[in-house]
Amino acid sequence: MQNYLTDDRAHLDRILETVLAEARNFLLGLDNRPVGTVVPSSLDLINIPMDGLGAGRALEIFKERYEPWLSGSAGPRYFGFVTGGVTPAALAGDWLTSLYDQNALGSTESIAPQIELDTIALLRQLFDLPDQFTGAFVTGATMSNFVGLALGRQWIGRQHGVDFAQIGLSHNAPVRIFSGTPHSSIYKAAAMLGIGREAVTNISCLPEREAVDMTALEAALQSQNGQPCIVVANAGTVNTVDFDDLQAIARLKSRYEFWLHIDAAFGGFAACSSKYRHWVQGLAMADSLTVDAHKWLNVPYDAAMQFTSHLQLQAEVFQNAAAYLGTEVSHSNFVNLTPENSRRLRALPAWFTLMAYGTHGYTEIVERNCDLAHWLGQKIGASKAFALLSPVRLNGVCFTLAMRGNSPTMNDIQRYLKLLRNSGRVFLTPTVFKGIPAMRVSVTNWRTTQADIEVAWVAIQQTAKRTHA
Ligand SMILES: *Cc1c(COP(=O)(O)O)cnc(C)c1O
């Protein structure tokens, strides 16, 4: 064994203690860490050390070369994208995932696949989904949408008597996708699946809304003349956190042939609160359903769930035909159900956080985050410096700069957001809503408190003064 391997193996305690000290420092400083850093534009070339350096020295170099430029995105005032943090229990689960290094592909030598099944069961209860939904962990909502659309594609083939997974896409059976305000990852998934981005047709939305206009959706379905298609319903859009009328869409299934995929990447968590549950009535009517974990569940990145009530179709698409892997279709034979073959025990952080904080823990996080978004929305709405572009429905605030009657340009927004980020206190991301350059706040982190939102509001106002000056 190489010297450093021997040495590190003998002194594993020391390495773990160094990492623990680093973890302590990082977590203690997280609330005050700058939300975004200005990363050096070019790092000098790095060379692989011939004889290695050992884990201790590698850690030192890491700390010098990269650590100061890590963002506080896991902290309480990072409101960009839809970014959650990591609960203490989720962190424990994530560390243990690496420690145990189990392959959760579904073979029988480890209980790992059962842990994943148990976690899916916990999540089914959290979101009040019926038992016929099976599920699996994938790396993010994009991959969950990918799986959902892959199932929709396979289902369309089946309506035409064609097994797409077996013979490839057939020209005679076009796959079309209708959606009001699909997330960009729907186009990406369509591209990866050979369905094509152009197969996604945007249906008009209600005035001033990102929720689909049911009359327009029905007209699109009618124009299919009985040809099966996919409808992507959106439960929580990233700009204004708007929701399609899921129940009304599901009711259309009695008259039109379509696969219903629901993208509830973060909006699905509305189910955790009796105040907001009405937004996701009908979630259980999905043929396939996306819910992210590294957003509102507050587990570390690479985790989302995909749910479906069509396990057999899933196995048709993702079957990994190899004698030594087996061909059994079961809920826990993940190698035959997901894009990956070998896969980490991605469910463990979710298992830990769900067991640690329970249903009410998530109700509290969701309601607190939403209260804070409403508080900020009210302040912004009442301020002359800003214009609120949409009512606050859940945990998002979409607004823009009020500029003497004119809309700001995207340059104005970018300049404002750069100044705001450089304040170190709050991070937002830009967007365009109904043609208006704008920005958005997403409150998704378990750490965020009233004190944080007040600090953010001060920074948001001060930055507006500086921009207008
Ligand atoms: C974030 C998000 C996605 C993509 O999720 P990733 O986890 O980044 O892959 C898809 N849909 C919606 C509605 C989202 O909010």
Side-chain angles (χ1 to χ4, degrees):
M1 200 183 284
Q2 195 238 27
N3 283 350
Y4 278 122
L5 283 175
T6 312
D7 202 47
D8 279 356
R9 181 175 172 164
H11 297 104
L12 203 50
D13 271 13
R14 204 169 58 202
I15 295 167
L16 294 178
E17 269 153 27
T18 315
V19 171
L20 186 61
E22 172 59 21
R24 249 191 217 118
N25 272 338
F26 186 84
L27 290 174
L28 276 177
L30 185 54
D31 286 7
N32 296 313
R33 193 179 185 94
V35 289
T37 56
V38 182
V39 178
S41 55
S42 67
L43 289 171
D44 47 326
L45 192 71
I46 192 163
N47 295 310
I48 181 166
M50 282 295 180
D51 298 316
L53 303 163
R57 182 71 192 121
L59 249 159
E60 282 169 17
I61 294 174
F62 174 86
K63 282 202 68 171
E64 275 164 40
R65 188 176 166 92
Y66 309 115
E67 198 272 348
W69 293 279
L70 295 174
S71 82
S73 56
R77 275 170 281 98
Y78 187 99
F79 301 133
F81 309 101
V82 188
T83 299
V86 180
T87 65
L91 179 64
D94 199 66
W95 282 11
L96 293 175
T97 302
S98 298
L99 176 75
Y100 300 140
D101 194 26
Q102 305 287 295
N103 192 345
L105 63 77
S107 56
T108 49
E109 87 285 348
S110 162
I111 200 164
Q114 276 68 37
I115 298 174
E116 184 158 340
L117 274 189
D118 272 3
T119 313
I120 291 292
L122 299 176
L123 287 157
R124 242 189 336 251
Q125 292 163 33
L126 186 71
F127 302 127
D128 201 18
L129 294 172
D131 289 346
Q132 82 257 22
F133 274 86
T134 57
F137 276 77
V138 289
T139 51
T142 300
M143 281 315 286
S144 181
N145 282 335
F146 173 89
V147 172
L149 295 186
L151 301 189
R153 182 187 64 177
Q154 187 68 3
W155 174 82
I156 287 176
R158 188 184 270 185
Q159 308 314 301
H160 290 282
V162 192
D163 182 347
F164 282 155
Q166 202 58 30
I167 63 159
L169 280 183
S170 151
H171 313 291
N172 301 327
V175 178
R176 296 196 64 190
I177 300 172
F178 297 109
S179 187
T181 310
H183 187 265
S184 51
S185 61
I186 292 295
Y187 296 90
K188 183 172 183 165
M192 290 193 285
L193 286 162
I195 295 173
R197 292 188 175 89
E198 286 186 7
V200 184
T201 302
N202 274 96
I203 306 298
S204 343
C205 289
L206 299 169
E208 305 304 311
R209 297 277 304 271
E210 288 184 308
V212 75
D213 178 339
M214 289 305 298
T215 314
L217 179 61
E218 181 156 6
L221 290 171
Q222 225 153 29
S223 74
Q224 283 288 97
N225 288 321
Q227 295 291 309
C229 61
I230 297 173
V231 171
V232 174
N234 302 294
T237 57
V238 288
N239 280 331
T240 62
V241 192
D242 210 340
F243 291 79
D244 288 345
D245 184 339
L246 303 179
Q247 283 178 306
I249 295 176
R251 275 198 297 273
L252 290 177
K253 287 187 90 177
S254 62
R255 278 181 290 139
Y256 304 95
E257 285 271 291
F258 63 91
W259 177 272
L260 176 56
H261 175 75
I262 302 183
D263 182 352
F266 67 94
F269 283 82
C272 297
S273 162
S274 55
K275 287 194 206 168
Y276 303 109
R277 197 167 293 151
H278 62 278
W279 290 115
V280 289
Q281 294 294 324
L283 209 58
M285 306 298 287
D287 292 299
S288 53
L289 169 65
T290 289
V291 188
D292 228 327
H294 53 215
K295 289 176 178 167
W296 230 343
L297 193 62
N298 280 264
V299 301
Y301 288 107
D302 277 6
M305 291 74 70
Q306 61 75 212
F307 296 96
T308 186
S309 44
H310 302 264
L311 187 69
Q312 188 60 42
L313 274 177
Q314 189 161 350
E316 279 176 32
V317 177
F318 293 102
Q319 182 70 241
N320 189 76
Y324 77 100
L325 291 169
T327 53
E328 178 209 354
V329 176
S330 81
H331 299 191
S332 62
N333 207 280
F334 294 107
V335 67
N336 292 327
L337 297 174
T338 60
E340 302 84 8
N341 279 354
S342 298
R343 47 208 288 285
R344 78 200 312 259
L345 181 47
R346 190 169 275 121
L348 200 54
W351 186 92
F352 266 85
T353 199
L354 290 165
M355 294 304 284
Y357 313 116
T359 311
H360 290 160
Y362 279 88
T363 308
E364 193 277 326
I365 294 173
V366 165
E367 292 188 349
R368 170 161 44 91
N369 285 169
C370 293
D371 283 351
L372 299 176
H374 279 96
W375 186 91
L376 186 64
Q378 238 161 28
K379 294 286 178 196
I380 288 173
S383 158
K384 286 195 176 60
F386 303 104
L388 194 64
L389 294 182
S390 168
V392 177
R393 294 183 191 88
L394 202 65
N395 64 331
V397 186
C398 185
F399 69 109
T400 194
L401 299 167
M403 305 190 70
R404 297 188 196 89
N406 300 326
S407 292
T409 62
M410 199 27 115
N411 264 345
D412 296 326
I413 297 291
Q414 296 285 10
R415 197 155 40 94
Y416 174 86
L417 289 179
K418 197 169 161 193
L419 279 173
L420 185 63
R421 183 195 72 172
N422 291 348
S423 78
R425 286 175 289 172
V426 51
F427 190 94
L428 316 182
T429 37
T431 189
V432 176
F433 177 62
K434 306 280 176 201
I436 302 171
M439 45 207 162
R440 43 185 294 293
V441 170
S442 176
V443 190
T444 321
N445 193 304
W446 70 279
R447 287 175 168 267
T448 311
T449 62
Q450 179 67 28
D452 291 304
I453 211 79
E454 287 176 19
V455 168
W457 174 230
V458 169
I460 287 169
Q461 286 172 289
Q462 283 174 348
T463 306
K465 285 199 190 106
R466 288 180 58 201
T467 319
H468 289 233

